[in-house]
Amino acid sequence: MFADSAKIIIKSGRGGDGHVSFRREKYVPNGGPDGGDGGNGGSIILEVDPGLNTLVDFRHRRKFAAENGEPGGKRNCHGKNGADLVLKVPAGTILRDAATDKVIADLSGGNMRQVILKGGRGGMGNQHFATATMQAPKYAQPGQPAMELEVRLELKVIADVGLVGFPNVGKSTFLSRVTNARPKIANYHFTTLNPNLGVVDLDQGQGFVIADIPGLIEGASQGVGLGHEFLKHIERTKVMIHMVDAAATEGRDPVADIYAINKELKAYNPSLLEKPQVIAANKIDAIYDEQESFLPKLKEEFEPQGISVIPISAVSGQNLKELLYHVNHLLSTVDETPIVFEQEYFPELNVFENEPYTVEYEPKEDVYVVEGPKIEKMLGYTNIDSEKGFLFFQKFLKEQGILESLEQAGIQEGDTVRMYGLSFDYYK
């Protein structure tokens, strides 16, 4: 069965503890400390496997954990590092935090591999803590704890063109005629359950990938039926083909159908309606009375809105080339950059979720100093030189209450704030 979502628990490896020991050699009565460092814990890594096209491997196993690092030993022996756990996923997989639904990683575009949870760092042995006044330290550093997170894997198919329409309008027949896909075709009154992908080859090396998005029904955006499961696959597409039954063989009104589907698209994600659309008025081979044809109504309703209506027959092949070349033209007018969802959630920051931070004013330097483990981590994982990174950093400061703490400390516009070597002027 096609599986395009799964909820799992992932856990990185714990860092091994540092060791406490002292040299014990003949003729060396007071040997110094020789406790070795603990090994680093293994990380959880997501990696694209081109041979996969579903998430079925995650349906029957719920917990995934990397190896823990081993503790250090005597005689400066370093503990063994825990092995990383690499989870193979199909291209187009999005990883979200299950609690907040925020994006952790999007394995598409050029992002083929990403570390999701870093393993805990191994603790230092007691040899590192010897000083002139403390030559025999009897303590070592414990390893960093593991990170555990419940996440949701979601597969959004990567296609240039989305083919949408109510069930039984001929989408599967169309896809089988114009691509290398081989969907099951029959006169079903229920929808195809799997998104079908096919490649359209045109002249001079041109072409595109088209996805038959399973038939939508009214209420899909509220999750009626399998609405959300299907609508998510449209988000990466750049052009949409609305396929309707122009012959109304089942008594449906194709004009009303298009408005119904657009309503669902808007309710799910308003930006979907900004994508270029074309209407494929299918089944013209079944129109026997021109006066009962919906073609004039479709053209009258949608062409003034800038949406072309192209009459086709998926069965006979009539006008299919015209439709495909029109779609190819629409693709040439949109941005070719792959649609990749940006990271919104950083698991590393939540290790220090309950750690305090300090906001202090230093009158000598006339600066407000903000410090804390979580802030230091945030600066390490964010490129604040970029506009998006800086906006994300500002959002972080607001959500953590740091801006409010600065205002309570008496900061004014134009005052300087310093955070671990980073200085900037404060403005509301």
Side-chain angles (χ1 to χ4, degrees):
M1 179 180 173
F2 182 81
D4 57 4
S5 65
K7 189 179 281 189
I8 60 173
I9 294 172
I10 54 176
K11 185 178 182 181
S12 63
R14 183 185 184 281
D17 295 336
H19 190 70
V20 177
S21 63
F22 299 91
R23 286 174 57 201
R24 292 289 181 267
E25 297 179 35
K26 198 173 183 180
Y27 309 120
V28 184
N30 296 312
D34 68 351
D37 299 344
N40 296 327
S43 299
I44 298 289
I45 300 170
L46 239 62
E47 184 175 276
V48 170
D49 183 340
L52 296 177
N53 56 15
T54 79
L55 296 171
V56 71
D57 292 344
F58 300 97
R59 282 290 180 92
H60 308 294
R61 182 179 167 192
R62 180 149 165 77
K63 292 188 177 181
F64 297 84
E67 283 187 357
N68 294 327
E70 293 185 356
K74 56 187 178 182
R75 297 183 182 176
N76 300 327
C77 288
H78 194 290
K80 182 182 175 183
N81 292 335
D84 295 335
L85 180 61
V86 180
L87 303 179
K88 299 294 182 76
V89 296
T93 298
I94 291 178
L95 187 76
R96 296 179 184 272
D97 172 53
T100 64
D101 206 39
K102 291 183 177 179
V103 175
I104 300 172
D106 184 356
L107 277 294
S108 61
N111 188 22
M112 304 293 286
R113 180 183 170 96
Q114 184 168 332
V115 177
I116 306 303
L117 295 181
K118 287 190 175 180
R121 197 167 53 239
M124 292 189 293
N126 68 331
Q127 60 175 308
H128 295 279
F129 300 99
T131 64
T133 56
M134 175 66 73
Q135 296 183 9
K138 297 180 180 179
Y139 55 86
Q141 186 182 43
Q144 283 186 342
M147 288 192 284
E148 186 172 335
L149 193 64
E150 185 175 32
V151 296
R152 184 162 57 83
L153 291 158
E154 185 179 271
L155 176 60
K156 295 180 189 284
V157 298
I158 298 177
D160 304 302
V161 179
L163 181 61
V164 297
F166 276 82
N168 208 31
V169 294
K171 294 191 285 111
S172 295
T173 303
F174 170 77
L175 199 71
S176 69
R177 284 293 299 255
V178 302
T179 76
N180 56 359
R182 292 292 175 265
K184 293 179 182 178
I185 301 168
N187 188 26
Y188 295 127
H189 285 272
F190 51 86
T191 181
T192 307
L193 291 180
N194 301 342
N196 290 304
L197 283 178
V199 178
V200 175
D201 291 316
L202 300 176
D203 297 335
Q204 298 176 340
Q206 296 186 82
F208 50 85
V209 179
I210 188 168
D212 167 16
I213 307 300
L216 300 176
I217 59 174
E218 291 184 67
S221 57
Q222 278 75 49
V224 173
L226 297 174
H228 275 134
E229 299 301 310
F230 296 154
L231 280 164
K232 67 188 176 192
H233 292 300
I234 304 175
E235 291 189 84
R236 288 197 201 273
T237 60
K238 298 172 182 176
V239 172
M240 278 191 288
I241 301 175
H242 273 279
M243 184 161 286
V244 293
D245 180 357
T249 56
E250 296 191 348
R252 300 190 62 88
D253 180 346
V255 175
D257 283 356
I258 291 171
Y259 279 121
I261 287 179
N262 275 339
K263 180 182 176 183
E264 297 305 321
L265 297 178
K266 183 179 181 181
Y268 179 75
N269 185 346
S271 66
L272 294 178
L273 290 186
E274 298 172 9
K275 300 176 187 288
Q277 299 184 12
V278 58
I279 295 170
N282 193 22
K283 301 191 181 182
I284 59 172
D285 56 293
I287 297 174
Y288 303 109
D289 188 344
E290 293 295 331
Q291 292 183 344
E292 295 182 7
S293 170
F294 276 91
L295 278 174
K297 291 182 182 178
L298 287 165
K299 288 178 176 288
E300 182 182 335
E301 184 70 26
F302 295 104
E303 290 195 338
Q305 300 179 32
I307 302 174
S308 296
V309 177
I310 301 177
I312 66 164
S313 170
V315 172
S316 70
Q318 187 176 347
N319 291 342
L320 292 187
K321 269 195 173 182
E322 181 183 348
L323 173 63
L324 296 178
Y325 277 98
H326 179 75
V327 169
N328 197 52
H329 169 71
L330 290 177
L331 283 170
S332 69
T333 65
V334 298
D335 187 2
E336 293 183 5
T337 306
I339 297 172
V340 179
F341 294 83
E342 292 185 9
Q343 186 169 2
E344 303 169 318
Y345 185 89
F346 296 82
E348 295 88 354
L349 302 179
N350 293 276
V351 174
F352 301 99
E353 194 164 11
N354 299 318
E355 291 281 351
Y357 60 85
T358 59
V359 176
E360 295 180 353
Y361 175 66
E362 290 191 1
K364 286 185 179 180
E365 299 182 47
D366 191 25
V367 296
Y368 288 82
V369 180
V370 182
E371 293 181 338
K374 192 168 185 178
I375 297 162
E376 189 175 14
K377 276 273 186 181
M378 182 66 185
L379 290 171
Y381 287 102
T382 308
N383 178 19
I384 58 174
D385 292 332
S386 70
E387 183 181 355
K388 290 180 180 177
F390 189 72
L391 289 173
F392 182 80
F393 184 60
Q394 283 184 313
K395 183 180 177 183
F396 165 79
L397 295 178
K398 184 177 180 179
E399 289 179 348
Q400 299 301 314
I402 296 169
L403 295 182
E404 186 179 348
S405 298
L406 284 167
E407 290 175 2
Q408 290 174 355
I411 197 168
Q412 302 294 321
E413 288 202 10
D415 288 348
T416 302
V417 180
R418 189 173 69 214
M419 299 181 185
Y420 295 98
L422 170 71
S423 297
F424 58 91
D425 294 333
Y426 174 81
Y427 290 99
K428 283 190 176 182

